[in-house]
Amino acid sequence: MCAEPLLAVLIGPGGVGKGTLARRLTEEDHGLWLSRSWTTRAKRETETGDEYVFVDRETFERAIDEGRFLEWAQFQGNLYGTPVPTDTGGADVLLEIEVQGAQQVRRYYDHVVIFLIVPPSMEHLESRLRGRGDSDDHVQRRLQSTAHEIRIGHELATHIIVNDDVERASGEILSILEELRRDRRSLA
Ligand code: 5GP
């Protein structure tokens, strides 16, 4: 076996379903460990509180100074960061992050596979964003950043996945991961 675990990264515009896909992937593949990010954003009414470690800006900035993040970024006025993974039990690590964070991990880590998740249509994306309970203003801002996220995402991604159906899309990602693991085992 290759000693270094894989770092699998999901990127894509807000509302595309990365969170649902990430949960589905870890349910299906016990060799994947899903990182729980920190954020300074306020919890949405539709969220349970498990989605992130919700902290204030001061706490987040202290953690940056202490070198506790694998990557972090400011996105639409809030900070988001992936804590340096611990206790993964040797599993491959799955991140669900925005594009600036993906640029950082690609720069600093060798075994990175980046999946750009795209919606089947813009109408689909807009209706998902509206269903999350965010304000109209917030939905508009997220839609405006979609083109940028998809453009940069194309430059970074090793694979493009259309999230037309969560079961199909997660199946596609899992087969790619399996193939990568097979290749790495044969090289070890
Ligand atoms: P939301 O506020 O909608 O939950 O997330 C906003 C964006 O931040 C999404 O694109 C999400 O993938 C991204 N994000 C979540 N956690 C992290 C993280 O730890 N690092 C980075 N760079 N982005 C994150």
Side-chain angles (χ1 to χ4, degrees):
M1 275 276 258
C2 234
E4 280 275 297
L6 262 179
L7 202 51
V9 182
L10 304 185
I11 55 172
V16 79
K18 285 172 292 178
T20 311
L21 255 181
R23 281 192 299 280
R24 174 86 187 197
L25 290 169
T26 45
E27 278 162 20
E28 298 280 317
D29 182 341
H30 297 291
L32 268 183
W33 182 92
L34 179 60
S35 169
R36 184 166 176 235
S37 296
W38 286 31
T39 185
T40 60
R41 139 162 109 59
K43 184 168 89 58
R44 296 189 181 110
E45 275 179 20
T46 50
E47 290 178 323
T48 62
D50 292 337
E51 294 79 2
Y52 289 100
V53 177
F54 292 94
V55 296
D56 59 27
R57 203 167 180 105
E58 192 188 335
T59 308
F60 197 107
E61 286 174 347
R62 199 171 332 114
I64 296 175
D65 292 343
E66 291 168 358
R68 289 168 63 183
F69 292 116
L70 185 77
E71 62 72 35
W72 66 271
Q74 172 145 319
F75 181 80
Q76 302 209 328
N78 296 305
L79 300 174
Y80 295 83
T82 304
V84 173
T86 52
D87 300 329
T88 62
D92 293 327
V93 173
L94 179 64
L95 310 183
E96 186 247 296
I97 61 179
E98 52 67 71
V99 290
Q100 303 167 73
Q103 283 167 325
Q104 294 171 43
V105 293
R106 203 182 64 164
R107 205 170 305 133
Y108 297 119
Y109 297 89
D110 289 336
H111 309 290
V112 181
V113 51
I114 300 180
F115 298 95
L116 171 65
I117 314 299
V118 294
S121 69
M122 285 308 285
E123 291 74 24
H124 190 269
L125 187 72
E126 182 164 352
S127 90
R128 275 196 60 122
L129 274 173
R130 294 201 184 282
R132 299 201 305 192
D134 285 332
S135 67
D136 237 31
D137 186 44
H138 186 93
V139 169
Q140 282 314 322
R141 269 188 288 132
R142 290 303 294 264
L143 284 172
Q144 277 160 14
S145 67
T146 294
H148 169 77
E149 287 171 69
I150 293 187
R151 188 173 52 76
I152 307 282
H154 269 97
E155 289 168 14
L156 288 171
T158 45
H159 304 274
I160 314 244
I161 309 288
V162 180
N163 191 14
D164 46 2
D165 173 83
V166 73
E167 203 165 317
R168 195 210 59 76
S170 59
E172 189 180 348
I173 294 174
L174 290 174
S175 352
I176 294 168
L177 288 176
E178 257 328 295
E179 200 173 315
L180 283 171
R181 287 167 174 153
R182 253 199 318 274
D183 290 351
R184 299 174 85 220
R185 275 197 298 267
S186 67
L187 288 175

